[in-house]
Short mmCIF file of all heavy atoms in Angstrom, two decimals:
data_model
loop_
_atom_site.label_atom_id
_atom_site.label_comp_id
_atom_site.label_asym_id
_atom_site.label_seq_id
_atom_site.Cartn_x
_atom_site.Cartn_y
_atom_site.Cartn_z
N ASP A 288 -0.37 1.81 11.77
CA ASP A 288 -0.40 3.28 12.00
C ASP A 288 -0.40 3.47 13.51
O ASP A 288 -1.32 3.05 14.12
CB ASP A 288 -1.71 3.77 11.39
CG ASP A 288 -1.67 5.28 11.32
OD1 ASP A 288 -0.57 5.96 11.64
OD2 ASP A 288 -2.68 5.89 11.01
N ASP A 289 0.60 4.13 14.00
CA ASP A 289 0.71 4.59 15.43
C ASP A 289 1.87 5.58 15.50
O ASP A 289 2.24 6.11 14.45
CB ASP A 289 0.85 3.36 16.32
CG ASP A 289 0.23 3.61 17.69
OD1 ASP A 289 0.64 4.58 18.32
OD2 ASP A 289 -0.71 2.92 18.02
N LEU A 290 2.50 5.66 16.63
CA LEU A 290 3.54 6.66 16.76
C LEU A 290 4.93 5.99 16.87
O LEU A 290 5.92 6.59 16.48
CB LEU A 290 3.30 7.42 18.08
CG LEU A 290 2.04 8.32 17.98
CD1 LEU A 290 1.87 9.10 19.30
CD2 LEU A 290 2.15 9.36 16.81
N ASP A 291 5.02 4.82 17.43
CA ASP A 291 6.34 4.16 17.66
C ASP A 291 6.64 3.21 16.46
O ASP A 291 5.95 2.25 16.22
CB ASP A 291 6.33 3.30 18.93
CG ASP A 291 6.19 4.28 20.17
OD1 ASP A 291 6.60 5.45 20.06
OD2 ASP A 291 5.65 3.78 21.18
N VAL A 292 7.78 3.57 15.72
CA VAL A 292 8.17 2.67 14.65
C VAL A 292 8.78 1.40 15.06
O VAL A 292 9.68 1.38 15.87
CB VAL A 292 9.28 3.47 13.68
CG1 VAL A 292 9.64 2.59 12.56
CG2 VAL A 292 8.56 4.74 13.23
N GLN A 293 8.33 0.29 14.61
CA GLN A 293 8.82 -1.05 14.99
C GLN A 293 9.84 -1.56 14.07
O GLN A 293 10.80 -2.21 14.39
CB GLN A 293 7.66 -2.03 15.19
CG GLN A 293 8.07 -3.38 15.71
CD GLN A 293 6.98 -4.39 15.63
OE1 GLN A 293 6.43 -4.61 14.56
NE2 GLN A 293 6.59 -5.03 16.74
N GLY A 294 9.65 -1.33 12.73
CA GLY A 294 10.56 -1.85 11.70
C GLY A 294 9.92 -1.61 10.35
O GLY A 294 9.11 -0.69 10.14
N LEU A 295 10.46 -2.43 9.37
CA LEU A 295 10.07 -2.26 8.03
C LEU A 295 9.48 -3.60 7.51
O LEU A 295 9.90 -4.64 7.98
CB LEU A 295 11.28 -1.76 7.14
CG LEU A 295 11.91 -0.48 7.47
CD1 LEU A 295 13.09 -0.23 6.58
CD2 LEU A 295 10.95 0.67 7.37
N ARG A 296 8.70 -3.53 6.48
CA ARG A 296 8.16 -4.73 5.78
C ARG A 296 7.97 -4.38 4.36
O ARG A 296 7.97 -3.17 4.00
CB ARG A 296 6.88 -5.28 6.45
CG ARG A 296 5.70 -4.25 6.37
CD ARG A 296 4.43 -4.85 6.79
NE ARG A 296 3.30 -3.94 6.82
CZ ARG A 296 2.61 -3.55 5.73
NH1 ARG A 296 2.95 -4.04 4.55
NH2 ARG A 296 1.63 -2.75 5.87
N GLU A 297 7.79 -5.38 3.54
CA GLU A 297 7.55 -5.16 2.11
C GLU A 297 6.20 -4.53 1.92
O GLU A 297 5.27 -4.80 2.58
CB GLU A 297 7.65 -6.46 1.35
CG GLU A 297 9.08 -6.98 1.25
CD GLU A 297 9.17 -8.24 0.30
OE1 GLU A 297 8.21 -8.44 -0.44
OE2 GLU A 297 10.25 -8.90 0.31
N TYR A 298 6.18 -3.68 0.83
CA TYR A 298 5.00 -3.03 0.44
C TYR A 298 3.97 -4.03 -0.08
O TYR A 298 4.29 -4.98 -0.86
CB TYR A 298 5.27 -1.95 -0.63
CG TYR A 298 4.06 -1.30 -1.22
CD1 TYR A 298 3.50 -0.25 -0.62
CD2 TYR A 298 3.55 -1.76 -2.43
CE1 TYR A 298 2.31 0.42 -1.17
CE2 TYR A 298 2.44 -1.21 -3.01
CZ TYR A 298 1.90 -0.13 -2.42
OH TYR A 298 0.77 0.44 -3.02
N VAL A 299 2.71 -3.83 0.26
CA VAL A 299 1.66 -4.58 -0.32
C VAL A 299 0.61 -3.60 -0.90
O VAL A 299 0.41 -2.51 -0.37
CB VAL A 299 0.98 -5.54 0.72
CG1 VAL A 299 1.91 -6.59 1.17
CG2 VAL A 299 0.34 -4.76 1.89
N PRO A 300 -0.03 -4.03 -2.00
CA PRO A 300 -1.03 -3.04 -2.57
C PRO A 300 -2.03 -2.59 -1.55
O PRO A 300 -2.58 -3.40 -0.74
CB PRO A 300 -1.73 -3.91 -3.65
CG PRO A 300 -0.66 -4.94 -4.00
CD PRO A 300 0.04 -5.21 -2.80
N GLY A 301 -2.26 -1.30 -1.56
CA GLY A 301 -3.20 -0.71 -0.60
C GLY A 301 -2.53 0.05 0.54
O GLY A 301 -3.12 0.82 1.24
N ASP A 302 -1.19 -0.14 0.73
CA ASP A 302 -0.49 0.56 1.71
C ASP A 302 -0.42 2.00 1.44
O ASP A 302 -0.43 2.43 0.23
CB ASP A 302 0.93 0.00 1.89
CG ASP A 302 0.98 -1.36 2.67
OD1 ASP A 302 0.03 -1.60 3.37
OD2 ASP A 302 2.02 -2.03 2.57
N ASP A 303 -0.41 2.82 2.42
CA ASP A 303 -0.32 4.28 2.33
C ASP A 303 1.09 4.66 1.76
O ASP A 303 2.09 4.23 2.46
CB ASP A 303 -0.58 4.95 3.63
CG ASP A 303 -0.77 6.49 3.47
OD1 ASP A 303 -0.31 7.08 2.49
OD2 ASP A 303 -1.33 7.08 4.40
N LEU A 304 1.17 5.27 0.70
CA LEU A 304 2.49 5.68 0.11
C LEU A 304 3.29 6.56 1.01
O LEU A 304 4.47 6.69 0.86
CB LEU A 304 2.35 6.26 -1.30
CG LEU A 304 1.81 5.27 -2.32
CD1 LEU A 304 1.63 6.04 -3.69
CD2 LEU A 304 2.81 4.16 -2.61
N ARG A 305 2.61 7.34 1.89
CA ARG A 305 3.31 8.20 2.83
C ARG A 305 4.16 7.35 3.78
O ARG A 305 5.06 7.96 4.44
CB ARG A 305 2.25 9.03 3.58
CG ARG A 305 1.65 10.07 2.69
CD ARG A 305 0.53 10.87 3.41
NE ARG A 305 -0.50 9.92 3.86
CZ ARG A 305 -1.58 10.34 4.54
NH1 ARG A 305 -1.71 11.64 4.90
NH2 ARG A 305 -2.46 9.50 4.96
N ARG A 306 3.94 6.08 3.97
CA ARG A 306 4.68 5.29 4.87
C ARG A 306 5.84 4.51 4.25
O ARG A 306 6.53 3.78 4.83
CB ARG A 306 3.77 4.25 5.65
CG ARG A 306 2.70 4.98 6.50
CD ARG A 306 1.97 3.96 7.41
NE ARG A 306 1.14 3.01 6.67
CZ ARG A 306 1.48 1.73 6.46
NH1 ARG A 306 2.50 1.24 6.93
NH2 ARG A 306 0.62 0.97 5.75
N VAL A 307 6.04 4.81 2.92
CA VAL A 307 7.20 4.10 2.26
C VAL A 307 8.47 4.72 2.77
O VAL A 307 8.61 5.92 2.81
CB VAL A 307 7.03 4.35 0.67
CG1 VAL A 307 8.27 3.90 -0.01
CG2 VAL A 307 5.77 3.68 0.21
N HIS A 308 9.43 3.87 3.09
CA HIS A 308 10.77 4.23 3.46
C HIS A 308 11.63 4.26 2.20
O HIS A 308 12.20 3.23 1.80
CB HIS A 308 11.36 3.32 4.47
CG HIS A 308 12.54 3.78 5.22
ND1 HIS A 308 13.76 3.97 4.60
CD2 HIS A 308 12.70 4.20 6.49
CE1 HIS A 308 14.62 4.44 5.47
NE2 HIS A 308 13.99 4.59 6.64
N TRP A 309 11.73 5.44 1.54
CA TRP A 309 12.38 5.53 0.24
C TRP A 309 13.84 5.22 0.30
O TRP A 309 14.42 4.63 -0.64
CB TRP A 309 12.11 6.89 -0.29
CG TRP A 309 10.65 7.18 -0.52
CD1 TRP A 309 9.83 8.00 0.18
CD2 TRP A 309 9.80 6.60 -1.58
NE1 TRP A 309 8.53 7.96 -0.29
CE2 TRP A 309 8.54 7.10 -1.42
CE3 TRP A 309 10.06 5.71 -2.61
CZ2 TRP A 309 7.46 6.74 -2.21
CZ3 TRP A 309 9.03 5.38 -3.44
CH2 TRP A 309 7.74 5.87 -3.27
N LEU A 310 14.60 5.59 1.33
CA LEU A 310 15.96 5.39 1.47
C LEU A 310 16.32 3.92 1.47
O LEU A 310 17.12 3.39 0.74
CB LEU A 310 16.62 6.06 2.68
CG LEU A 310 18.14 5.89 2.86
CD1 LEU A 310 18.84 6.43 1.68
CD2 LEU A 310 18.57 6.60 4.18
N ASN A 311 15.58 3.17 2.30
CA ASN A 311 15.80 1.68 2.39
C ASN A 311 15.34 0.98 1.17
O ASN A 311 15.95 0.02 0.71
CB ASN A 311 15.07 1.18 3.67
CG ASN A 311 15.43 -0.25 3.93
OD1 ASN A 311 14.84 -1.19 3.33
ND2 ASN A 311 16.36 -0.51 4.81
N SER A 312 14.29 1.56 0.51
CA SER A 312 13.76 0.89 -0.62
C SER A 312 14.81 0.99 -1.84
O SER A 312 14.94 0.17 -2.55
CB SER A 312 12.43 1.57 -1.08
OG SER A 312 11.47 1.38 -0.07
N SER A 313 15.50 2.17 -1.85
CA SER A 313 16.44 2.31 -2.94
C SER A 313 17.69 1.42 -2.75
O SER A 313 18.31 1.04 -3.63
CB SER A 313 16.91 3.87 -2.97
OG SER A 313 17.61 4.24 -1.76
N LYS A 314 18.00 1.13 -1.47
CA LYS A 314 19.15 0.31 -1.13
C LYS A 314 18.85 -1.17 -1.52
O LYS A 314 19.70 -1.87 -1.95
CB LYS A 314 19.56 0.40 0.37
CG LYS A 314 20.22 1.78 0.65
CD LYS A 314 20.56 1.90 2.14
CE LYS A 314 21.18 3.23 2.46
NZ LYS A 314 21.55 3.26 3.91
N THR A 315 17.62 -1.62 -1.15
CA THR A 315 17.29 -3.00 -1.24
C THR A 315 16.74 -3.35 -2.68
O THR A 315 16.66 -4.54 -3.06
CB THR A 315 16.30 -3.49 -0.19
OG1 THR A 315 15.12 -2.66 -0.34
CG2 THR A 315 16.92 -3.21 1.16
N GLY A 316 16.23 -2.30 -3.30
CA GLY A 316 15.58 -2.56 -4.60
C GLY A 316 14.13 -3.05 -4.45
O GLY A 316 13.48 -3.43 -5.45
N THR A 317 13.64 -3.13 -3.22
CA THR A 317 12.30 -3.56 -2.95
C THR A 317 11.57 -2.48 -2.13
O THR A 317 12.16 -1.86 -1.25
CB THR A 317 12.29 -4.87 -2.07
OG1 THR A 317 13.00 -5.86 -2.73
CG2 THR A 317 10.88 -5.34 -1.84
N LEU A 318 10.35 -2.19 -2.54
CA LEU A 318 9.55 -1.13 -1.95
C LEU A 318 9.25 -1.54 -0.52
O LEU A 318 8.62 -2.62 -0.23
CB LEU A 318 8.25 -0.83 -2.71
CG LEU A 318 7.68 0.53 -2.45
CD1 LEU A 318 8.67 1.63 -2.91
CD2 LEU A 318 6.44 0.64 -3.33
N MET A 319 9.74 -0.76 0.51
CA MET A 319 9.53 -1.10 1.89
C MET A 319 8.73 0.01 2.60
O MET A 319 8.81 1.17 2.23
CB MET A 319 10.94 -1.19 2.68
CG MET A 319 11.84 -2.25 2.03
SD MET A 319 11.24 -3.97 2.12
CE MET A 319 11.38 -4.16 3.93
N VAL A 320 7.94 -0.41 3.54
CA VAL A 320 7.04 0.60 4.29
C VAL A 320 7.34 0.42 5.72
O VAL A 320 7.71 -0.65 6.28
CB VAL A 320 5.55 0.36 4.04
CG1 VAL A 320 5.13 0.60 2.53
CG2 VAL A 320 5.09 -1.01 4.44
N ARG A 321 7.12 1.47 6.48
CA ARG A 321 7.34 1.51 7.95
C ARG A 321 6.22 0.67 8.61
O ARG A 321 5.06 0.83 8.19
CB ARG A 321 7.36 2.93 8.50
CG ARG A 321 8.58 3.73 7.95
CD ARG A 321 8.46 5.16 8.59
NE ARG A 321 9.49 6.05 8.03
CZ ARG A 321 9.40 6.74 6.89
NH1 ARG A 321 8.24 6.71 6.13
NH2 ARG A 321 10.36 7.55 6.49
N GLN A 322 6.53 -0.06 9.66
CA GLN A 322 5.51 -0.73 10.46
C GLN A 322 5.74 -0.23 11.89
O GLN A 322 6.88 -0.06 12.36
CB GLN A 322 5.73 -2.32 10.41
CG GLN A 322 4.74 -3.03 11.18
CD GLN A 322 4.74 -4.51 10.81
OE1 GLN A 322 4.09 -4.93 9.84
NE2 GLN A 322 5.57 -5.23 11.51
N TYR A 323 4.65 0.02 12.48
CA TYR A 323 4.61 0.59 13.82
C TYR A 323 4.23 -0.39 14.89
O TYR A 323 3.62 -1.40 14.70
CB TYR A 323 3.64 1.82 13.83
CG TYR A 323 3.95 2.91 12.84
CD1 TYR A 323 3.48 2.78 11.56
CD2 TYR A 323 4.77 4.01 13.22
CE1 TYR A 323 3.77 3.75 10.62
CE2 TYR A 323 5.05 4.91 12.25
CZ TYR A 323 4.60 4.85 10.98
OH TYR A 323 4.85 5.82 10.08
N GLU A 324 4.58 -0.04 16.16
CA GLU A 324 4.16 -0.82 17.29
C GLU A 324 3.07 -0.15 18.06
O GLU A 324 3.15 1.04 18.35
CB GLU A 324 5.39 -1.05 18.26
CG GLU A 324 5.11 -1.99 19.37
CD GLU A 324 6.34 -2.33 20.15
OE1 GLU A 324 7.31 -1.58 20.07
OE2 GLU A 324 6.28 -3.25 20.98
N ALA A 325 2.03 -0.93 18.17
CA ALA A 325 0.78 -0.27 18.87
C ALA A 325 1.11 0.12 20.28
O ALA A 325 1.90 -0.49 20.96
CB ALA A 325 -0.37 -1.34 18.86
N THR A 326 0.57 1.20 20.67
CA THR A 326 0.70 1.63 22.04
C THR A 326 -0.60 1.56 22.75
O THR A 326 -1.68 1.28 22.17
CB THR A 326 1.15 3.14 22.06
OG1 THR A 326 0.06 3.96 21.57
CG2 THR A 326 2.40 3.36 21.19
N HIS A 327 -0.55 1.74 24.05
CA HIS A 327 -1.71 1.66 24.91
C HIS A 327 -2.56 2.89 24.92
O HIS A 327 -3.57 2.89 25.55
CB HIS A 327 -1.37 1.37 26.36
CG HIS A 327 -0.91 -0.09 26.60
ND1 HIS A 327 -1.77 -1.14 26.44
CD2 HIS A 327 0.32 -0.58 26.88
CE1 HIS A 327 -1.03 -2.27 26.69
NE2 HIS A 327 0.17 -1.99 26.91
N ARG A 328 -2.18 3.91 24.27
CA ARG A 328 -2.98 5.16 24.18
C ARG A 328 -4.27 4.82 23.43
O ARG A 328 -4.28 4.19 22.38
CB ARG A 328 -2.21 6.27 23.45
CG ARG A 328 -1.15 6.87 24.39
CD ARG A 328 -0.41 7.94 23.68
NE ARG A 328 0.26 7.44 22.49
CZ ARG A 328 1.21 8.13 21.84
NH1 ARG A 328 1.47 9.35 22.24
NH2 ARG A 328 1.79 7.61 20.78
N THR A 329 -5.37 5.35 23.99
CA THR A 329 -6.72 5.01 23.45
C THR A 329 -7.34 6.20 22.80
O THR A 329 -7.60 7.25 23.46
CB THR A 329 -7.61 4.34 24.59
OG1 THR A 329 -6.92 3.35 25.20
CG2 THR A 329 -8.93 4.01 24.08
N ASP A 330 -7.63 6.05 21.52
CA ASP A 330 -8.46 7.07 20.82
C ASP A 330 -9.85 6.56 20.86
O ASP A 330 -10.24 5.47 20.33
CB ASP A 330 -7.97 7.21 19.38
CG ASP A 330 -6.63 7.92 19.31
OD1 ASP A 330 -6.36 8.75 20.10
OD2 ASP A 330 -5.84 7.59 18.38
#
């Protein structure tokens, strides 16, 4: 979870469904979720 998208990975139980990349999932037949790259911004 961050702001800069790094890529996609396969869905694992517990992942937030809001991060599912539905277009890519429909093409590959595998549920894929977005993976982000951490930034130096500090909350």
Side-chain angles (χ1 to χ4, degrees):
D288 192 9
D289 211 298
L290 295 180
D291 295 331
V292 178
Q293 185 189 54
L295 302 174
R296 62 169 175 82
E297 290 188 12
Y298 172 87
V299 295
D302 283 343
D303 191 342
L304 292 177
R305 291 175 297 181
R306 294 192 292 109
V307 172
H308 195 289
W309 296 107
L310 180 60
N311 189 277
S312 298
S313 63
K314 291 180 179 179
T315 62
T317 303
L318 203 58
M319 304 295 290
V320 296
R321 297 178 183 88
Q322 185 166 269
Y323 301 87
E324 186 173 14
T326 68
H327 285 294
R328 285 180 298 193
T329 304
D330 290 326

